[in-house]
C-alpha cells in the first residue's frame, strides 16, 4: 500500500461520510432548516456537513487503530483461532453492555426489551458487511470484519450513546457506518491493485 492509496482512502471516506451524515442530519431536522428561508437551510447544511466530517474522522481513526490492534492481537495470540475466540468474547461483551448499561442509565420508564433493538440492528448490519468481506476475500476475514463493524463502531459511537438523543444517535451513526463500511470493503480492493 503506497501513500497515494492512503490519501485516496482518507479523502474519499471523508467525502462519503460527510455527505451521508449531512443528508441524514438535514432530513431529520428538515422543519428547522426549511422554516426560515434558503440562507438558514444553507447554514444548516454546512453545519451538518461539518459535524459529519468530524464523525467521519473518528471513523477513520478507529479503522487505522483497529488495523494496529488486529495485528497486535494476532502477534500476542500466535493463532488465528485464539484471536477469533477473543474477538467473539469481546463482541458478546459489547452487545451485553450496549443493552444493559443503556437500560440502567436511561430505561427508568421503558421496557428492557426495547434496548435490544439498536444493538441487534447494528449486529445484523455488521454480520451482513462481514459476510460480504469474507466472500470477497476469504472466510478468515469474517470475524475480524464483524468485530470491527460492531465493536469498533460502538466504541466510536459512545459520545452519542451517552447523550441518548435519537437525533444524535442517528446523525452520529450514519457517517460512522458509511465510513467504516467503505474503508473495510475498499481495503482489499486497493491491495489487489498493488
Amino acid at each position: 500500500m503506497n501513500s497515494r492509496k492512503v490519501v485516496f482512502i482518507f479523502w474519499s471516506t471523508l467525502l462519503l461520510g460527510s455527505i451521508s451524515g449531512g443528508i441524514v442530519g438535514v432530513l431529520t431536522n428538515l422543519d428547522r432548516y426549511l422554516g426560515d428561508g434558503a440562507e438558514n437551510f444553507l447554514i444548516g447544511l454546512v453545519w451538518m456537513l461539518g459535524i459529519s466530517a468530524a464523525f467521519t474522522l473518528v471513523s477513520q481513526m478507529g479503522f487505522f487503530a483497529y488495523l494496529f490492534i488486529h495485528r497486535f492481537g494476532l502477534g500476542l495470540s500466535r493463532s488465528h483461532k485464539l484471536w477469533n475466540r477473543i474477538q467473539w468474547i469481546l463482541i458478546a461483551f459489547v452487545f451485553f453492555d450496549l443493552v444493559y448499561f443503556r437500560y440502567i442509565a436511561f430505561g427508568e420508564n421503558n421496557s428492557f426489551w426495547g434496548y435490544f433493538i439498536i444493538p441487534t440492528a447494528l449486529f445484523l448490519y455488521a454480520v451482513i458487511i462481514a459476510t460480504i468481506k469474507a466472500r470477497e476475500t476469504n472466510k478468515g476475514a469474517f470475524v475480524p470484519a464483524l468485530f470491527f463493524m460492531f465493536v469498533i463502531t460502538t466504541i466510536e459511537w459512545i459520545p452519542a450513546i451517552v447523550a441518548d438523543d435519537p437525533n444524535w444517535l442517528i446523525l452520529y451513526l450514519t457517517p460512522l457506518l458509511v465510513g467504516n463500511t467503505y474503508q473495510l470493503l475498499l481495503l482489499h480492493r486497493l491491495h489487489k491493485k498493488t
Side-chain angles (χ1 to χ4, degrees), residues 71-89:
R71 285 288 153 204
F72 187 74
L74 285 172
L76 280 179
S77 64
R78 299 182 188 186
S79 160
H80 282 283
K81 287 183 180 182
L82 178 59
W83 178 233
N84 283 347
R85 287 182 188 138
I86 292 169
Q87 289 179 97
W88 274 114
I89 291 168

Side-chain angles (χ1 to χ4, degrees), residues 27-127:
L27 289 177
T28 56
N29 297 299
L30 197 57
D31 54 334
R32 183 185 313 170
Y33 295 127
L34 290 179
D36 294 327
E39 183 178 324
N40 186 52
F41 177 77
L42 289 174
I43 290 171
L45 179 62
V46 169
W47 171 253
M48 286 298 155
L49 289 171
I51 286 179
S52 298
F55 300 155
T56 305
L57 290 173
V58 171
S59 163
Q60 292 177 326
M61 288 187 294
F63 181 67
F64 287 106
Y66 177 69
L67 292 177
F68 173 76
I69 290 168
H70 182 66
R71 285 288 153 204
F72 187 74
L74 285 172
L76 280 179
S77 64
R78 299 182 188 186
S79 160
H80 282 283
K81 287 183 180 182
L82 178 59
W83 178 233
N84 283 347
R85 287 182 188 138
I86 292 169
Q87 289 179 97
W88 274 114
I89 291 168
L90 291 173
I91 289 168
F93 183 74
V94 168
F95 188 93
F96 172 79
D97 287 353
L98 199 52
V99 172
Y100 182 72
F101 288 125
R102 283 189 68 236
Y103 175 73
I104 294 297
F106 308 113
E108 294 172 358
N109 301 320
N110 300 323
S111 166
F112 177 74
W113 299 106
Y115 284 89
F116 273 92
I117 295 170
I118 289 176
T120 303
L122 182 59
F123 181 77
L124 292 174
Y125 180 81
V127 167

